[in-house]
Amino acid sequence: MLFSILIPVYNVEKWMRKCIESVLSQNMKDFEIVLVDDGSTDSSGEICDEYASRHDSIRVIHKKNEGLLLTRRRAIKEAKGKWFIHLDSDDYMMPGFLSSLQNVILETDPTLVIYSFIRGTQDTHDLSNIVNIPFMNGEVFEAEGHHKLLMQFLYGGSITAIWQKAARRDIVDIDTDYHQWPNVNMMEDHLQSLYLLDHSLKTVYMDFPAVYYRYNAASITKQIGYRAHQAAF
């Protein structure tokens, strides 16, 4: 199996179907979808089960609420594909993305692929708002060239999201225990992305708006988990 699409789920019944359908409608089918329900209290879990009952490519894991970071880590543990792709459950995948990514992988043999995205709000679907990333399409970062990539990651802020990176299985820290960071939602992307950037032998930038990023302040990915868990520090 080529791709594992890893989707954390928490109280997103309004957008859940759109997210799943955006993957199922891709023009290549060599993938699995791993849905990890983080103790949703709405119908999100039932929607996941409904899709899994109709599609062999979908697996669902239900667990107690632990926050976004540990939910992503559970999805990583469950993944069976050669490449890991993250997608948030209130966002959706743009048409043609997986086949385009497959072509990049076959042509360049990378260990990490970074791509662009479209930013919108929960009520607006402006497909013209593609986030500008200052790399050339097909630009390759190897050895010392990764310094440019790290500088953009640390100072530019446009390549921090874990859902704009496809990582080959052998550079993912699958067995790392992240339980020392319970319910860390803010900056969890940085925590996981930095490891991938540091361990990638060859990173390629793909100038393709792969994800529609729906800004939703109430979602699992936009909540700050520090205050509720500050007693742990």
Side-chain angles (χ1 to χ4, degrees):
M1 183 184 304
L2 186 59
F3 297 130
S4 288
I5 316 299
L6 312 178
I7 305 178
V9 176
Y10 181 72
N11 289 357
V12 284
E13 60 184 8
K14 183 177 179 180
W15 300 289
M16 190 76 256
R17 296 180 188 277
K18 173 72 172 179
C19 176
I20 297 174
E21 291 288 351
S22 74
V23 182
L24 293 175
S25 62
Q26 292 290 307
N27 57 358
M28 65 88 68
K29 302 300 179 184
D30 190 9
F31 63 79
E32 64 170 353
I33 301 174
V34 181
L35 300 165
V36 182
D37 174 28
D38 187 36
S40 295
T41 57
D42 66 359
S43 65
S44 297
E46 288 80 0
I47 293 172
C48 291
D49 290 337
E50 172 195 330
Y51 273 90
S53 70
R54 293 191 280 115
H55 298 276
D56 292 339
S57 60
I58 298 178
R59 288 186 290 129
V60 181
I61 294 92
H62 298 282
K63 67 178 188 63
K64 67 178 183 180
N65 182 262
E66 296 177 289
L68 177 57
L69 176 60
L70 296 184
T71 302
R72 287 205 201 279
R73 302 312 302 181
R74 177 64 183 274
I76 288 172
K77 284 278 190 181
E78 297 286 343
K80 298 178 180 178
K82 296 178 181 177
W83 284 80
F84 294 0
I85 299 171
H86 296 269
L87 179 66
D88 286 347
S89 49
D90 52 350
D91 300 336
Y92 58 86
M93 191 176 285
M94 298 301 293
F97 166 57
L98 290 183
S99 60
S100 297
L101 176 60
Q102 182 181 32
N103 289 337
V104 169
I105 291 171
L106 292 174
E107 292 169 3
T108 63
D109 191 28
T111 52
L112 185 69
V113 180
I114 297 175
Y115 29 85
S116 185
F117 61 97
I118 299 170
R119 179 187 287 117
T121 70
Q122 57 184 319
D123 300 312
T124 304
H125 299 274
D126 183 4
L127 299 182
S128 66
N129 192 16
I130 298 176
V131 173
N132 180 44
I133 297 176
F135 301 143
M136 295 177 58
N137 185 41
E139 188 167 352
V140 176
F141 305 90
E142 295 181 276
E144 294 182 1
H146 266 100
H147 178 74
K148 178 181 179 181
L149 196 63
L150 289 171
M151 290 296 287
Q152 178 64 25
F153 175 79
L154 293 171
Y155 297 107
S158 59
I159 61 168
T160 57
I162 194 71
W163 43 258
Q164 61 179 140
K165 301 176 182 72
R168 204 169 71 186
R169 170 180 284 274
D170 57 340
I171 69 161
V172 179
D173 55 336
I174 297 173
D175 296 321
T176 300
D177 185 359
Y178 280 76
H179 279 83
Q180 63 179 311
W181 308 108
N183 282 290
V184 170
N185 292 339
M186 184 64 71
M187 306 292 282
E188 55 85 24
D189 289 88
H190 294 68
L191 185 62
Q192 298 176 92
S193 291
L194 188 56
Y195 183 94
L196 299 178
L197 292 170
D198 188 46
H199 287 77
S200 176
L201 300 177
K202 182 179 183 180
T203 301
V204 175
Y205 174 65
M206 173 182 168
D207 189 16
F208 188 104
V211 175
Y212 187 95
Y213 167 72
R214 190 198 311 265
Y215 186 80
N216 168 26
S219 79
I220 184 176
T221 63
K222 317 300 186 299
Q223 298 174 30
I224 301 175
Y226 169 75
R227 182 171 297 175
H229 295 273
Q230 57 186 326
F233 295 91

